[in-house]
Amino acid sequence: MMHQTIRGGGIEAIDDPYLSLRDINKRYGMVEVIPNLNLEVRKGELIALLGPSGCGKTTTLRMIAGLISPTSGTIAVGGRDVTHIAPHGRDMGLVFQSYALFPHMTVAGNVAFGLEMRGLPRAEIAAKVGKALDMVQLGHLSGRKPRELSGGQQQRVALARALVIEPSILLLDEPLSNLDAKLRDEMRAQIRDIQQALGITTVFVTHDQVEALSMCDRIVVMKGGFIEQVGTPHDIYEHPVTPFVASFVGRTNRIKGIGGQDGSIRIGSSTIRAAAPAQKGDVTVMVRPHRVHIDWDLAAAERQTHAANRIPAALFRITFVGDVIQYHFSIDGSEFIVEEATVRSQAGRRPGQTAMLSWSIEDTSVFGAGS
Amino acid sequence: MTVAALDLPIAAPKSSSRAGIATVLLLPIALVNAIGFLLPVLNLAKMSFNEALAGGGIGEAFTTANWTGLLQDQFYLELLVNSVTVSLGITIATLLASYPIALYLHRASGMWRTFLTVLVISPLMTSAVVRTYGWIALLAEQGPVANVIAAMGFQPPRMMFNTTGVVIGLTEILMPYMILSLMAGFGRLDPKIEEAAQTLGATPFKTFWRIVLPLTLPGIALGCLLCFVLAISSFITPKLMGGGRVFLLATEIYDQAIVTLNWPLAATLSMLVLIIFGLALAVYSRVLQMIDQG
């Protein structure tokens, strides 16, 4: 299986990696949190570490920052081995999930701290702090204390504080998870804009697939300390290499089938094909709900002969979500959801109707049954 | 507060039954405080303006002689300065000895933390008299501490029946109070904040100096206030470990009240201690204000 070769091996050869993690292993006593991780990040790239809690993404980030040491393996930045360098010597900007602002200092004091530690002259510090605060639109609040700011403002102070030191790498640990939905959307765009403007290499830890897909150049999907897949948002979404990636990034239908000699898949009395030939025996087929077309006129659908997967299915439930409507069909005993943008004519559909579902072969992923 | 609660039903008799219940609940403690604390203190204040008669009598006539005598007598001025400096010294020694322990306890977690906290508090379950005698045994002229110092080839200093002994004994006795106060004031100290400082380039020392220390100031202020007050009013340890050679306010009050039977002078000295408490509290609240603004 494809992800087996990814696990533990070099993932994707990059010619000139800026940040590279080689054979990283981290264990706490008997517990192996990260068995063997290899990752390379290009200069100026925004890369997401995406996965559910406990997948090792935050541990990986903290190892890059130097806050914890790997049990074995090396971390290099710009060709320099930093594995054994203390965090204060690493020159990395870290934005914490809880922001971790210094409560006894003003906004300006917080942002100035890193520059003071570098021994910059007072005037230069003041100029840089002013510029950094303007960048996050907080110049007018420089005299405030963190507790006098809203969550979104604190988050921007944390970002300015990490960026003002012009770090070699910016590390973001779930920076948006404590914000409300609307603010999160704004900050997503703002972080991406700043990252692009500064061209700063950024590692972004998140459990939110939308953040990862919308902000990042590449996504590293992690699970249980292993890297499941590394790729562009498009790759990850369209060509998931493991069932976990397929179901964790975006939503997907799962149906069971049987792989035949010629790579086709039997589901009930229908035969379909997937983007890649299926292995023989039990397989799991995955299709995204909004990539499926519904033909309510069965007779007309039968006459069509274009190369697509077609399965007749019975509608048993309709969920109206507002901008989309979800049709719950039953295929060979399993639930299969199809999503359509809402239009007025949908009002007449009733559970019990039968329809022909069709979707393209490219939109069909197939995995071995064990997965 | 007590007075306000007592006044409430009179000011607003029909306000609600809550005020009535509050009064009933507060009345016992208000009475105990009034009879057990307020009245004696007022009595002491009055007595400090009474004449001391020979043979332990207390004259009814009003006089400021106790106060003027106190302020003019070189011995009492020295006693005052000595008490304050020794107490400050004890407070600083207690702080230095307790701070690392409190910081470690703050960072410990789970059963280990519970165990260590119990360990820190456990000396409080033993009487200060017993603990003082323990120190007397340890610090005595031929005691284990002196023997260890002698074995290392040094001349052991006198550690008993002088100020050194009092400072050592009281420092150890006050440490649990200091550690608990420090831990109570460490609430703002978040490991993530220290990590943030490190990633911004702060060395461990700079992190401590610029982040940890300022954030723990409320705990330091509270612990120092408490230990200073306890040190200056301590009696048993200075009495036993000072061997009658260390003169502090509390021991002098005891001598004046019990040995010399000069109750008006003892009352005057007691009022002086109360004034020092008041000053310490004022300094404490000023420091807290500064921390809050700074």
Side-chain angles (χ1 to χ4, degrees):
Chain A
M1 276 194 303
M2 211 169 161
H3 66 281
Q4 289 298 355
T5 58
I6 286 168
R7 285 184 179 178
I11 315 125
E12 196 179 316
I14 288 178
D15 299 337
D16 52 342
Y18 183 62
L19 167 66
S20 64
L21 281 70
R22 279 188 220 104
D23 297 321
I24 296 293
N25 171 279
K26 180 67 192 174
R27 50 169 70 239
Y28 292 101
M30 294 300 287
V31 186
E32 199 165 49
V33 185
I34 293 175
N36 187 316
L37 185 135
N38 285 276
L39 181 64
E40 296 189 328
V41 183
R42 291 185 194 92
K43 192 163 178 61
E45 190 174 31
L46 174 51
I47 194 160
L49 302 183
L50 173 68
S53 57
C55 73
K57 57 190 193 297
T58 297
T59 305
T60 305
L61 189 87
R62 289 170 63 79
M63 284 193 287
I64 298 172
L67 294 171
I68 49 179
S69 319
T71 309
S72 65
T74 54
I75 298 169
V77 178
R80 167 173 165 249
D81 185 347
V82 298
T83 318
H84 302 292
I85 293 177
H88 65 263
R90 286 212 186 179
D91 192 30
M92 295 195 185
L94 175 54
V95 175
F96 290 82
Q97 182 172 10
S98 58
Y99 317 137
L101 297 178
F102 307 131
H104 57 302
M105 296 182 194
T106 61
V107 167
N110 266 277
V111 179
F113 185 82
L115 300 172
E116 285 166 8
M117 291 302 118
R118 281 162 177 71
L120 262 61
R122 218 171 261 274
E124 200 179 332
I125 291 177
K128 280 180 188 258
V129 168
K131 231 178 93 185
L133 284 175
D134 286 342
M135 182 176 68
V136 295
Q137 292 134 40
L138 284 176
H140 58 295
L141 297 178
S142 63
R144 296 270 184 92
K145 285 286 179 64
R147 63 167 181 267
E148 299 166 322
L149 304 181
S150 70
Q153 289 168 337
Q154 289 186 30
Q155 210 274 342
R156 276 140 67 195
V157 175
L159 187 62
R161 184 178 70 174
L163 285 171
V164 76
I165 59 172
E166 291 164 32
S168 54
I169 295 176
L170 177 64
L171 305 170
L172 305 168
D173 187 7
E174 306 243 8
L176 306 178
S177 60
N178 288 340
L179 303 177
D180 60 55
K182 190 173 175 295
L183 205 56
R184 198 152 50 213
D185 287 351
E186 284 172 28
M187 282 309 297
R188 225 184 259 159
Q190 200 174 6
I191 290 176
R192 178 65 177 167
D193 288 349
I194 291 172
Q195 187 269 334
Q196 288 290 298
L198 300 177
I200 186 167
T201 311
T202 305
V203 180
F204 183 103
V205 160
T206 181
H207 64 268
D208 183 338
Q209 42 122 350
V210 180
E211 277 174 16
L213 290 170
S214 62
M215 290 172 65
C216 301
D217 297 310
R218 283 195 303 151
I219 297 173
V220 179
V221 184
M222 294 179 73
K223 181 194 168 195
F226 287 103
I227 292 179
E228 292 271 316
Q229 187 174 0
V230 181
T232 61
H234 185 267
D235 273 347
I236 298 280
Y237 189 83
E238 295 293 345
H239 310 293
V241 296
T242 71
F244 173 78
V245 175
S247 52
F248 191 76
V249 181
R251 281 159 313 122
T252 192
N253 288 299
R254 268 169 183 264
I255 31 176
K256 297 223 175 299
I258 296 162
Q261 292 286 1
D262 58 346
S264 68
I265 306 146
R266 270 203 88 67
I267 296 169
S269 56
S270 311
T271 302
I272 64 165
R273 291 191 164 273
Q279 65 177 73
K280 269 180 71 179
D282 290 344
V283 293
T284 302
V285 175
M286 296 197 180
V287 188
R288 304 237 181 247
H290 64 282
R291 293 287 171 86
V292 180
H293 175 75
I294 310 171
D295 258 320
W296 298 103
D297 182 352
L298 274 180
E302 289 292 351
R303 288 192 293 274
Q304 288 177 4
T305 53
H306 57 82
N309 290 323
R310 290 193 296 167
I311 295 185
L315 178 67
F316 70 91
R317 192 193 304 144
I318 300 172
T319 313
F320 179 73
V321 194
D323 43 4
V324 292
I325 189 160
Q326 290 173 344
Y327 296 105
H328 300 247
F329 287 96
S330 171
I331 293 180
D332 199 28
S334 5
E335 183 178 34
F336 191 95
I337 299 172
V338 182
E339 225 171 58
E340 277 186 351
T342 43
V343 288
R344 261 187 215 99
S345 60
Q346 288 159 336
R349 311 291 173 213
R350 288 286 172 271
Q353 262 184 294
T354 305
M356 182 66 80
L357 306 182
S358 60
W359 63 89
S360 80
I361 289 166
E362 289 71 46
D363 285 335
T364 316
S365 303
V366 64
F367 303 100
S371 43
Chain B
M1 284 306 286
T2 322
V3 177
L6 282 170
D7 283 348
L8 257 179
I10 303 153
K14 296 211 181 244
S15 64
S16 70
S17 62
R18 284 179 60 104
I21 292 169
T23 311
V24 170
L25 289 176
L26 284 170
L27 206 59
I29 190 69
L31 277 175
V32 167
N33 259 319
I35 296 168
F37 178 69
L38 206 57
L39 280 181
V41 167
L42 289 174
N43 192 36
L44 267 184
K46 182 182 146 281
M47 200 187 287
S48 74
F49 290 102
N50 281 352
E51 198 183 350
L53 302 178
I58 303 166
E60 283 301 314
F62 177 85
T63 171
T64 54
N66 296 318
W67 286 96
T68 50
L70 197 69
L71 296 175
Q72 281 158 7
D73 191 330
Q74 191 63 30
F75 172 75
Y76 286 113
L77 286 180
E78 266 173 35
L79 182 72
L80 177 64
V81 171
N82 194 34
S83 292
V84 171
T85 38
V86 167
S87 299
L88 281 176
I90 290 166
T91 305
I92 290 166
T94 313
L95 175 65
L96 291 179
S98 308
Y99 192 89
I101 299 172
L103 204 56
Y104 183 80
L105 271 171
H106 179 75
R107 289 171 179 172
S109 61
M111 283 301 290
W112 181 233
R113 183 189 169 129
T114 313
F115 172 73
L116 289 176
T117 310
V118 169
L119 206 64
V120 161
I121 300 171
S122 59
L124 293 178
M125 294 168 193
T126 316
S127 147
V129 180
V130 175
R131 288 160 75 195
T132 303
Y133 273 115
W135 276 112
I136 291 174
L138 281 172
L139 299 176
E141 220 152 314
Q142 294 296 321
V145 176
N147 284 341
V148 168
I149 294 172
M152 289 191 297
F154 299 104
Q155 173 68 35
R158 261 194 84 84
M159 291 170 292
M160 195 35 71
F161 305 130
N162 58 13
T163 310
T164 313
V166 175
V167 170
I168 293 174
L170 268 181
T171 297
E172 188 271 332
I173 284 166
L174 293 180
M175 273 176 68
Y177 298 100
M178 180 63 95
I179 293 171
L180 290 178
S181 308
L182 287 173
M183 284 174 70
F186 280 4
R188 291 203 296 173
L189 196 62
D190 172 0
K192 289 269 185 294
I193 291 176
E194 291 176 59
E195 287 179 355
Q198 288 171 38
T199 61
L200 290 166
T203 58
F205 175 76
K206 284 268 188 191
T207 306
F208 177 78
W209 187 249
R210 292 284 312 269
I211 307 296
V212 176
L213 198 60
L215 288 178
T216 53
L217 277 180
I220 293 174
L222 178 64
C224 286
L225 171 76
L226 194 65
C227 286
F228 177 76
V229 164
L230 287 172
I232 207 160
S233 59
S234 65
F235 164 71
I236 294 164
T237 308
K239 188 80 189 163
L240 295 178
M241 296 194 77
R245 289 191 201 106
V246 178
F247 297 99
L248 296 173
L249 276 169
T251 53
E252 185 60 22
I253 292 169
Y254 175 84
D255 284 347
Q256 288 299 336
I258 305 297
V259 181
T260 323
L261 289 176
N262 187 344
W263 281 36
L265 184 56
T268 314
L269 288 168
S270 302
M271 294 313 292
L272 192 65
V273 173
L274 262 185
I275 291 167
I276 295 171
F277 283 3
L279 289 175
L281 259 178
V283 169
Y284 171 71
S285 56
R286 182 84 195 92
V287 166
L288 272 197
Q289 245 175 27
M290 275 162 55
I291 294 169
D292 207 37
Q293 286 158 6

